[in-house]
Amino acid sequence: MKYVDEFRDPAAAKKLLARIEREATKLEKPIALMEVCGGHTHTIYRYGLENLLPENIELIHGPGCPVCVIPMGRVDDAIWLAQQEDVIFTTFGDMMRVPGSETSLMQARARGADVRFVYSPLDALKIATDNPDKQVVFFAVGFETTAPSTAVTVEAARRQGVENFSVFSNHVLIEPPLRAIVNGGETKVDGFIGPGHVATTTGTDAFEFLPREFNLPVAVTGFEPLDVLQAVVMLLDQFVSGDVAAGKSRVDNQYARVVRSSGNTTAQKLMDRVFSLRDTFEWRGLGWIENSGLGISEEYAAFDAERRFQVPGRRIPDPVTCECGSVLTGHIKPWQCAVFGTACTPATPIGTCMVSPEGACAAYYNFGRIDRKVTENLAKSRH
């Protein structure tokens, strides 16, 4: 890749769309493709890709937004940590406005808590070295995409002997929620647009279970509009060629300029040392999933905020009006939620899907990709 414009070229997009149109006429029945990552969702709705595809190809949202899947109880735990005496609580900016049961980190800061947003966990470590009389906690959130940077920071803290730094780990793994969605059977998914950022760490091998066990095709892809369209072409090819019907689905790698089949093995080894699998972890919209979350391992227990502070471990159900969980699992589109765009907006979010820059509700709201017919039908259903 020389220039990002190469992946936004209108002429190339038209060729891909023409091919998709041709191939889609050969489908025996409509197909639903789940874009796992919220980054893909924003690309799709920023560029209006969903309105350019044939009617027999539907794109549905998946649970790949790292902020969105954190349950409200864990947010409450984070706020509790931020309010402890002599604590500097650090977090990525998109977690600042995520609502807990009573308040948010942003509001806690307004009330006197020392909450600071950082661009990297290494920034949090620097704050710890600059403030040796304070306890600095980093709110670690994300899939295998961001977990390596947390692991690097914890290793650096141990190597440098920084004793006033700890991590509130909310890192999660990509395979368990996809298994939960497929096994649940409530969401019709015929194929997956795989998350390229996660795959830079895990490799495409991490998604082989989908074709192997469920005969579901996968195309791991990048985040530009042509990347997504090429992924749709790759998935279509598997249906039209008869591979899916013959039980020969596979994982294709559209993002080969970045992703290898084995991923980043150095990062994987470091993660294996610093983290340990939790027996179970709670997900927004999916409930408790076994072996899906990463806690700090025994070897690095000194940097585990949950042990250092005896975090309460609150469990709080989502507000009744919020259907973020249903959006995350592809059950509904954001505009089908009763409070979307009314009580729930980016300025007054009720759920995480409206807060995160990778949230599906934020994508719909910010880019306005709801066609007139859908809007009219929605209005009728509410009256």
Side-chain angles (χ1 to χ4, degrees):
M1 179 176 67
K2 296 180 180 179
Y3 309 105
V4 72
D5 289 347
E6 296 176 5
F7 294 89
R8 300 176 184 175
D9 178 38
K14 288 179 180 178
K15 290 180 179 179
L16 285 169
L17 286 165
R19 180 174 175 183
I20 291 171
E21 287 279 358
R22 289 194 305 271
E23 296 300 301
T25 62
K26 304 173 185 177
L27 290 172
E28 295 182 357
K29 59 182 180 178
I31 58 173
L33 306 178
M34 175 174 280
E35 81 270 3
V36 175
C37 183
H40 288 143
T41 301
H42 275 252
T43 295
I44 289 165
Y45 293 103
R46 178 182 179 183
Y47 294 97
L49 301 185
E50 85 289 3
N51 290 330
L52 300 176
L53 296 178
E55 289 187 358
N56 59 345
I57 300 176
E58 180 186 10
L59 299 179
I60 57 178
H61 320 303
C65 167
V67 172
C68 302
V69 300
I70 301 300
M72 188 172 286
R74 298 294 286 185
V75 177
D76 276 8
D77 286 345
I79 294 168
W80 180 89
L81 278 166
Q83 293 171 335
Q84 299 308 295
E85 187 176 359
D86 293 328
V87 164
I88 299 174
F89 194 81
T90 60
T91 180
F92 293 137
D94 50 2
M95 291 302 303
M96 293 287 284
R97 295 191 307 112
V98 173
S101 60
E102 299 177 357
T103 187
S104 67
L105 285 168
M106 182 75 78
Q107 292 166 329
R109 184 171 74 168
R111 295 169 185 168
D114 193 346
V115 181
R116 309 180 189 183
F117 72 83
V118 293
Y119 294 102
S120 157
L122 288 170
D123 293 340
L125 182 59
K126 178 64 164 55
I127 292 172
T129 59
D130 291 344
N131 296 271
D133 58 331
K134 301 284 187 178
Q135 287 291 327
V136 176
V137 180
F138 174 64
F139 193 2
V141 172
F143 289 87
E144 292 94 333
T145 310
T146 55
S149 63
T150 300
V152 166
T153 304
V154 171
E155 175 63 34
R158 185 171 74 164
R159 188 174 62 251
Q160 296 171 23
V162 183
E163 298 180 354
N164 63 322
F165 174 79
S166 60
V167 169
F168 180 43
S169 179
N170 290 268
H171 285 302
V172 289
L173 303 176
I174 195 63
E175 179 179 333
L178 298 185
R179 281 187 177 277
I181 287 173
V182 175
N183 285 325
E186 296 180 13
T187 303
K188 177 184 178 294
V189 184
D190 298 298
F192 288 88
I193 298 175
H197 287 168
V198 169
T200 60
T201 300
T202 66
T204 57
D205 290 348
F207 302 95
E208 289 290 347
F209 74 96
L210 287 166
R212 183 178 63 247
E213 299 178 30
F214 304 103
N215 192 35
L216 289 170
V218 182
V220 172
T221 189
F223 296 87
E224 294 299 328
L226 293 193
D227 288 328
V228 175
L229 291 177
Q230 286 175 332
V232 172
V233 168
M234 287 178 164
L235 291 169
L236 262 178
D237 284 347
Q238 294 198 49
F239 285 98
V240 173
S241 68
D243 287 343
V244 174
K248 297 180 180 180
S249 295
R250 63 183 181 273
V251 177
D252 286 333
N253 184 9
Q254 185 277 337
Y255 208 26
R257 64 184 187 271
V258 176
V259 172
R260 296 176 295 178
S261 60
S262 59
N264 186 333
T265 55
T266 300
Q268 292 168 19
K269 290 176 182 177
L270 180 59
M271 287 170 57
D272 288 343
R273 289 206 313 271
V274 173
F275 298 113
S276 60
L277 269 180
R278 297 178 186 269
D279 292 337
T280 185
F281 191 78
E282 185 183 8
W283 292 64
R284 191 181 295 253
L286 288 168
W288 294 87
I289 304 179
E290 294 182 355
N291 300 321
S292 64
L294 297 176
I296 304 299
S297 70
E298 288 291 335
E299 182 179 351
Y300 294 84
F303 303 98
D304 186 355
E306 292 183 78
R307 304 187 206 199
R308 182 173 296 188
F309 293 94
Q310 296 183 333
V311 175
R314 299 193 68 187
R315 299 294 171 256
I316 309 293
D318 282 345
V320 176
T321 56
C322 177
E323 297 188 76
C324 188
S326 295
V327 172
L328 285 169
T329 52
H331 291 173
I332 65 171
K333 303 288 188 180
W335 50 264
Q336 293 174 301
C337 175
V339 295
F340 173 80
T342 54
C344 185
T345 69
T348 58
I350 294 176
T352 53
C353 295
M354 188 62 87
V355 178
S356 172
E358 293 190 25
C361 295
Y364 268 81
Y365 189 94
N366 291 330
F367 301 122
R369 297 297 185 185
I370 307 176
D371 63 39
R372 184 173 299 175
K373 183 177 180 181
V374 168
T375 305
E376 290 173 354
N377 291 338
L378 178 61
K380 290 178 182 177
S381 70
R382 289 180 175 175
H383 293 288

